[in-house]
Amino acid sequence: MRPLPSVTGTVAVLDRADVDTDQIIPKQFLKRIERTGYGEFLFFDWMKDPDFELHRYPGASILLAGPNFGCGSSREHAAWALEDYGFDVVIAPSFGDIFRTNAVNTGLAPIVVAPDQLAQLREAVGLLNELTVDLENLVITNTCGLRIPFELDAHTQETLVQGLDDIARTLMRGAEIDAYEATHSPPFDTRALPV
């Protein structure tokens, strides 16, 4: 994963509640095992409508969404599709629990703000479509003086800011693992198991 200490970019507004993972990436596109190439299928059914909101925000890296974003099934492809489309951050009042976990594991930042703060962000974006989401200092700002703090647990913040997946996190503990293995012999010889 790439480190994500801060994101400055344009914002897409998807003012809909309960956007589920089936709408984010429909089931017919889940046949592949790669983590890339899903962006072109993001919101596939809605994208057919020329008036769909996202058509107004080409190149946006931040998505403002409604409550309960990413509810529904547990498909991690939803987070992959959002990231592959170009989003680095999704800001919403709440997220589906499994989607939130998948987003963090993908390197997509799910930021929770209160409904009144979301309204402030929408208003600010209506005047100037650019925000900075600072994941190191846990604050959303713009050049007009907007400042909205948010919270992330320490593990999520470290994962996103440093770009750590589970393998990278394990490799950081290489010296501890080596020290343990040096002092603990296996209960049997794992090099040659009897057939």
Side-chain angles (χ1 to χ4, degrees), residues 11-170:
V11 181
V13 178
L14 184 61
D15 190 12
R16 301 181 187 207
D18 304 315
V19 173
D20 65 41
T21 55
D22 299 322
Q23 285 298 337
I24 296 170
I25 184 77
K27 65 185 175 311
Q28 65 265 33
F29 303 112
L30 307 182
K31 299 173 184 169
R32 303 172 43 225
I33 58 170
E34 300 87 6
R35 290 179 62 163
T36 58
Y38 293 98
E40 66 183 295
F41 308 118
L42 182 70
F43 300 117
F44 185 76
D45 295 325
W46 292 345
M47 286 287 198
K48 294 174 188 174
D49 179 353
D51 294 326
F52 177 53
E53 298 97 307
L54 257 65
H55 294 307
R56 288 177 258 173
Y57 308 103
S61 57
I62 301 167
L63 177 63
L64 290 185
N68 202 25
F69 185 84
C71 59
S73 70
S74 61
R75 62 187 68 166
E76 60 190 330
H77 304 75
W80 298 348
L82 286 158
E83 184 186 42
D84 197 56
Y85 188 80
F87 290 114
D88 294 315
V89 175
V90 180
I91 302 171
S94 58
F95 293 94
D97 288 340
I98 296 172
F99 172 82
R100 184 189 177 287
T101 299
N102 288 338
V104 171
N105 290 339
T106 297
L108 177 69
I111 306 299
V112 174
V113 296
D116 63 316
Q117 294 173 316
L118 186 65
Q120 281 182 279
L121 290 168
R122 285 189 187 130
E123 184 179 337
V125 166
L127 299 172
L128 173 67
N129 191 338
E130 183 177 274
L131 292 175
T132 296
V133 180
D134 184 339
L135 285 102
E136 287 183 304
N137 297 302
L138 303 177
V139 65
I140 303 167
T141 59
N142 71 5
T143 56
C144 299
L146 176 78
R147 182 176 175 77
I148 295 179
F150 62 90
E151 295 180 4
L152 287 176
D153 64 87
H155 181 269
T156 297
Q157 184 181 20
E158 180 185 53
T159 297
L160 294 169
V161 169
Q162 294 185 26
L164 300 175
D165 60 15
D166 289 341
I167 293 170
R169 225 176 253 292
T170 301

Side-chain angles (χ1 to χ4, degrees), residues 173-188:
R173 301 185 73 182
E176 293 172 59
I177 293 167
D178 291 343
Y180 176 85
E181 288 181 347
T183 60
H184 292 79
S185 353
F188 53 87

